[in-house]
Amino acid sequence: MSAVIEAVHLTKTFADGTRALRGASFTITEGEFVAIMGPSGSGKSTLLHILGFLDPQTSGTYHFRGHTLEDMSKTKLARVRNEDLGFVFQSFNLLPRASVLENVYLPLYYSQVPKKVWRARAEKAIEAVGLSHRLQHEAFTLSGGEKQRVAIARALINNPNLIFADEPTGNLDTVAGTAVLAILKKLHKEGHTVILITHDQSIADHAKRTLFMRDGQLERDTVSA
């Protein structure tokens, strides 16, 4: 399988001198399900921000499908973020007064997808997470689990190869969290590369491989049997 991500000695030092990442190196190949795990302050969220092109590294090299941040134009980078990457965050990041359908539409405003197919594409993504019956409900009326499923549908709308899920069950009860993890596992089975950020070993156990972070360093890289 070809490499999606190649990280070589990635570091991140913030303006206040905090060294959040201290030389992480690893490769993630097409179709993997990887958990990046570690306690608070271990550098896992900083690493996700670099891998998702949300924040640049201080030093080291990051290749996404052979391309670095430095060799992509602003237009190319925006397209990669919008079409190749899907993001699911702990805080959902939904527009509370917009409907489920309107929230899922959002990435399409910045895409090259013809507007005439938006609704069909959005309805397909919403159906994939089991929320077709909530299509016109405003986001603020939904349960936490439903909000996270809307966030996943939004992440799927442009059919990205790579999905980042940052503590996706952190604000959910056990039942809702289990449902969200089942969706992520289904997406992996369908061929998506999934990177799951968590501090919880029981959540990381759903992945096939775990990168364990501590104090900004990659402490171990394990593959489940």
Side-chain angles (χ1 to χ4, degrees):
M1 299 292 282
S2 60
V4 179
I5 284 172
E6 293 177 274
V8 182
H9 301 306
L10 292 181
T11 72
K12 182 66 178 181
T13 303
F14 292 104
D16 64 1
T18 301
R19 296 181 65 193
L21 207 56
R22 302 166 182 254
S25 297
F26 55 90
T27 298
I28 294 175
T29 57
E30 202 88 43
E32 283 197 271
F33 188 169
V34 179
I36 299 177
M37 184 187 164
S40 296
S42 62
K44 59 187 186 296
S45 291
T46 298
L47 181 57
L48 177 142
H49 286 177
I50 293 171
L51 300 182
F53 294 113
L54 302 174
D55 198 20
Q57 70 270 25
T58 302
S59 66
T61 305
Y62 170 39
H63 285 92
F64 175 75
R65 290 186 173 165
H67 295 284
T68 66
L69 176 65
E70 293 75 21
D71 66 24
M72 284 190 280
S73 66
K74 288 184 178 180
T75 300
K76 170 66 175 175
L77 181 58
R79 189 169 297 169
V80 166
R81 284 194 189 117
N82 185 253
E83 298 177 5
D84 293 336
L85 308 178
F87 295 92
V88 180
F89 296 103
Q90 180 179 353
S91 56
F92 316 132
N93 292 343
L94 302 181
L95 300 176
R97 291 290 177 179
S99 69
V100 167
L101 186 64
E102 289 165 339
N103 270 287
V104 174
Y105 272 166
L106 287 176
L108 296 176
Y109 284 98
Y110 308 99
S111 74
Q112 297 182 325
V113 177
K115 198 166 186 176
K116 63 183 179 182
V117 303
W118 284 14
R119 186 179 180 97
R121 183 176 284 205
E123 287 180 352
K124 182 178 179 181
I126 293 165
E127 182 181 4
V129 299
L131 283 179
S132 296
H133 63 296
R134 292 289 210 177
L135 209 65
Q136 298 300 339
H137 285 69
E138 293 180 330
F140 82 93
T141 68
L142 306 178
S143 69
E146 289 171 332
K147 288 176 182 176
Q148 195 60 291
R149 283 192 277 161
V150 174
I152 293 173
R154 184 181 57 196
L156 292 176
I157 192 69
N158 282 322
N159 194 32
N161 172 267
L162 176 57
I163 297 170
F164 291 107
D166 189 4
E167 299 280 7
T169 64
N171 286 330
L172 306 180
D173 61 30
T174 302
V175 172
T178 299
V180 165
L181 286 168
I183 292 171
L184 292 175
K185 290 170 79 171
K186 179 174 179 285
L187 292 172
H188 169 246
K189 191 173 182 180
E190 291 172 353
H192 294 272
T193 304
V194 179
I195 298 179
L196 172 66
I197 309 296
T198 184
H199 66 278
D200 187 335
Q201 183 66 60
S202 66
I203 302 298
D205 286 344
H206 289 268
K208 301 295 184 181
R209 176 184 172 198
T210 301
L211 304 178
F212 189 87
M213 304 289 297
R214 188 182 297 279
D215 298 328
Q217 295 180 309
L218 178 57
E219 190 172 81
R220 62 182 182 268
D221 182 347
T222 62
V223 180
S224 60

